[in-house]
Amino acid sequence: MSWQAYVDDHLMCDIEGNHLSSAAILGQDGSVWAQSSNFPQFKPEEITAINGDFNDPGTLAPTGLYLGGTKYMVIQGEPGAVIRGKKGPGGVTVKKTTLALVIGIYDEPMTPGQCNMIVERLGDYLIEQGL
């Protein structure tokens, strides 16, 4: 399966009538493997900061998580595995796999739990595949 199919078929899927706003699978170096057409144009330093939080959990909490210039308040996550951010009625979930970062961005009416489930389920699958 192509990386774009993972984004189109798994991340941008329908959950109880809701969809992620945008999604992407990036290499841990920030290279884009696949993304939805409206995924924000991010800066390399934003990906570096996200990776830094995975390596040293808690580093993003004071400053927030930035993606495409949008600041998300870092909320509960799983140190070294998942970072979750919130901004108004929406937010972001970032799941680290062996080789990649799986990112989902959502807005109401999708719930944080639905976003987490979509992103983390694909991330767990990729980890099982050694990716």
Side-chain angles (χ1 to χ4, degrees):
M1 182 181 292
S2 75
W3 290 112
Q4 192 61 50
Y6 281 116
V7 171
D8 296 342
D9 300 341
H10 297 279
L11 293 176
M12 298 303 289
C13 66
D14 182 293
I15 295 283
E16 297 172 17
N18 300 323
H19 298 85
L20 291 173
S21 305
S22 61
I25 302 172
L26 309 178
Q28 290 181 12
D29 62 357
S31 60
V32 177
W33 292 6
Q35 64 184 8
S36 62
S37 59
N38 58 344
F39 193 77
Q41 182 64 48
F42 58 87
K43 299 181 179 94
E45 56 268 23
E46 293 172 335
I47 303 306
T48 300
I50 290 169
N51 277 315
D53 194 85
F54 280 124
N55 296 328
D56 186 11
T59 56
L60 284 179
T63 60
L65 181 157
Y66 285 86
L67 195 61
T70 300
K71 180 180 179 179
Y72 297 90
M73 179 178 67
V74 176
I75 55 175
Q76 129 217 21
E78 296 169 27
V82 180
I83 301 170
R84 299 182 184 108
K86 187 91 174 108
K87 177 176 175 52
V92 63
T93 301
V94 184
K95 170 78 175 178
K96 181 180 181 184
T97 73
T98 310
L99 302 174
L101 300 173
V102 181
I103 304 172
I105 298 173
Y106 70 94
D107 218 330
E108 285 184 336
M110 178 168 266
T111 66
Q114 289 171 325
C115 178
N116 296 342
M117 183 179 71
I118 291 169
V119 171
E120 294 174 36
R121 187 172 55 195
L122 179 59
D124 289 341
Y125 171 78
L126 293 176
I127 290 169
E128 289 170 10
Q129 303 305 307
L131 302 167

